[in-house]
Amino acid sequence: MTTALVLGGGGIVGVAWQLGLFDGLRTHGVDPGRADLVLGTSAGSMAGALLLLGRTEILDRLESATAVLGGGDVTALLDAMAAGGDIGRLAIDAATMPEDAYVALVADLVGAQWPDRFRCAGIDVVTGELLVWQRDSGVPVASAVAASCAVPLMLPVVTVGGRRCMDGGMRDPLNAGLATGHDHVVAVSCFPVTAAPPAMRAQQRAVERSLIDLRAAGVHVEVIEPDREFLAVSDNGGALMDQARLRAAHRAGLRLGARSTPTLA
């Protein structure tokens, strides 16, 4: 019997929330790092890599690193998504910080050995293809995670293995279907699975289809969704790039992790 931990996108605030969730689970006897597969998309790729590398106590450094991003307004991206624009082309043309400076912000992963059992997802900005990187992909884990987290219009496109890549959650913030083949899937979503802003309805439907397909295949699926506390902290998803909310998000995750222990144990 194998278990996959699927960690979804949710900006820097989502990273802090997921790290808090891990701490809450571990405090009550459930170690999420024991999963046979840890699959991360966007924020989930950062949280998953840090989990398996044993580097989850990083809030101070996360605050310092993300301060240079100056927060972030997702309005332009949501407007582009609602208009059906070519997000890949917009990502390439956007005026953002330099790629190397952005990758350097992932300091806890630079030079790290690729964690066993870890995979993360990104999207090729030219072809739109979903890419999944793992240890034998031959690319640095820092570059792969940075690409998976590269929110279009806010963060630069990242070159991974010769391909220009962006946030892996632009079509599906969870990519839970990539966990097919495992008996149990624990999916952590930074957004309510059954509700989304109008611009993200297509992504919401993709998440729902993947979860339905997994269950239809006989997979036992448990989903951890935001509770009222995290929805308030994240302003219902509108403030997921606000570094001033990291500690409140971590506390919310810690409490939710403790409450989720009976189910996940």
Side-chain angles (χ1 to χ4, degrees), residues 20-43:
L21 187 73
F22 302 156
D23 289 342
L25 290 170
R26 280 191 299 239
T27 299
H28 291 79
V30 176
D31 181 5
R34 293 180 60 190
D36 297 286
L37 169 68
V38 175
L39 172 68
T41 295
S42 197

Side-chain angles (χ1 to χ4, degrees), residues 151-245:
V151 181
L153 309 186
M154 298 177 63
L155 295 171
V157 170
V158 177
T159 304
V160 184
R163 303 177 75 163
R164 306 195 73 193
C165 306
M166 66 179 178
D167 192 319
M170 291 309 302
R171 290 185 304 189
D172 182 338
L174 268 180
N175 290 308
L178 296 174
T180 299
H182 292 272
D183 302 291
H184 302 278
V185 170
V186 176
V188 179
S189 175
C190 296
F191 302 92
V193 170
T194 56
M200 293 186 64
R201 294 283 165 76
Q203 286 78 6
Q204 174 191 325
R205 288 192 292 270
V207 169
E208 291 177 329
R209 281 196 302 270
S210 293
L211 296 175
I212 289 170
D213 290 346
L214 284 172
R215 289 178 171 128
V219 179
H220 177 205
V221 179
E222 292 286 349
V223 180
I224 297 179
E225 298 181 75
D227 57 2
R228 290 182 180 178
E229 182 179 7
F230 182 63
L231 287 175
V233 169
S234 67
D235 193 17
N236 292 309
L240 288 170
M241 295 297 286
D242 183 355
Q243 59 98 205
R245 301 174 186 242

Side-chain angles (χ1 to χ4, degrees), residues 89-169:
R89 172 47 56 187
L90 293 173
I92 292 172
D93 293 340
T96 63
M97 66 189 308
E99 177 184 341
D100 56 350
Y102 166 54
V103 175
L105 292 178
V106 196
D108 283 84
L109 301 181
V110 173
Q113 184 178 16
W114 193 284
D116 288 331
R117 299 173 284 118
F118 175 64
R119 298 177 187 173
C120 66
I123 293 177
D124 185 310
V125 295
V126 176
T127 67
E129 179 185 356
L130 180 68
L131 306 174
V132 182
W133 299 292
Q134 54 190 349
R135 191 170 204 174
D136 62 6
S137 298
V139 301
V141 65
S143 295
V145 169
S148 183
C149 295
V151 181
L153 309 186
M154 298 177 63
L155 295 171
V157 170
V158 177
T159 304
V160 184
R163 303 177 75 163
R164 306 195 73 193
C165 306
M166 66 179 178
D167 192 319

